[in-house]
Amino acid sequence: MTKKIYSVPYFLWILFFVIVPLAMLLWQSFFDLNGHFTLNNYILYFSSGTYLLMTWNSILYALIITVATLVISYPVAYVLTKLKMKQFWLMLIILPTWVNLLLKAYAFIGIFGKYGSVNNFLQFLGIGRTQILFTDLSFILVASYISIPFMVLPIFNALNDLDDNLVNASADLGASRFQTFTQVIWPLSLNGVRAGVQAVFIPSLSLFMLTRLIGGNKVITLGTAVEEHFLTTQNWGMGSTIAVVLVVAMLIVMRMTKERRD
């Protein structure tokens, strides 16, 4: 009985801050600008080359950011597990998440700007100033940097819980380091990788602030489209439709990357 009482706040939170907002989005997606019930929002979305291109861009950018983050984060997490003060170094990696995202975005505007640190260094090398800000590359770099802690943490936890006896047994049986990694370490850390992919890929699907501040509106995603429809065109029905599609896409990703238990 006590457990049920303690679970009430949790279920109330889920109800009012998850289920109700999603239900409101779904309901609003069936109305046009004049408040008439319609299915045209969904028909337009799935028949419009513009929206389909935005969908492809969102998936592509999220995939690139996730892969780049994973390539950097896995070796970092592995090295951290071998250090004596691993919790301290892990804290330093997580520390940037305490800084507001907007502040970090403006910091990168200064770093990548025409007279920023990177361009000053390029000029010092004799290469000259170049356009770094408001490009796809700058957007991917900043988004990957911001996402790294969310990828490192679950992978670190998975690797840290790995039984060293299994690795030693693999070596005793004559396996090379590469074989040990591919046959022992990597499979046993996959749950951490899946959790990291969820933590990075899903938010990356709906990025919109970085697309404006760092991408300079040259990077168009579904998150940008949702913002435009809600704040600029006031077409809440279409904005809700895109948001519903994003939610469904996120659920599919969560299903595909859910933790496996043997």
Side-chain angles (χ1 to χ4, degrees), residues 117-150:
S117 305
V118 175
N119 266 316
N120 287 338
F121 182 69
L122 291 176
Q123 189 177 36
F124 173 77
L125 294 177
I127 299 175
R129 300 184 186 277
T130 184
Q131 180 64 41
I132 301 174
L133 196 61
F134 306 143
T135 61
D136 290 358
L137 178 61
S138 64
F139 168 71
I140 292 171
L141 285 174
V142 174
S144 299
Y145 163 78
I146 291 172
S147 302
I148 282 176
F150 303 103

Side-chain angles (χ1 to χ4, degrees), residues 191 194 258-262:
N191 284 333
R194 292 188 184 101
K258 73 173 184 177
E259 183 177 339
R260 267 67 166 179
R261 293 188 181 275
D262 296 328

Side-chain angles (χ1 to χ4, degrees), residues 4-68:
K4 291 183 179 180
I5 294 176
Y6 286 148
S7 65
V8 169
Y10 169 77
F11 287 112
L12 288 176
W13 177 275
I14 294 296
L15 175 64
F16 289 111
F17 295 101
V18 178
I19 297 176
V20 171
L22 289 178
M24 293 173 64
L25 269 180
L26 182 61
W27 175 256
Q28 186 64 47
S29 68
F30 291 108
F31 291 89
D32 59 18
L33 277 168
N34 299 317
H36 300 142
F37 186 86
T38 180
L39 295 176
N40 287 338
N41 291 329
Y42 287 95
I43 295 173
L44 176 61
Y45 179 88
F46 289 105
S47 62
S48 170
T50 301
Y51 288 120
L52 293 179
L53 180 60
M54 286 183 185
T55 304
W56 167 249
N57 283 339
S58 298
I59 296 173
L60 181 60
Y61 283 122
L63 184 61
I64 293 173
I65 292 167
T66 303
V67 171

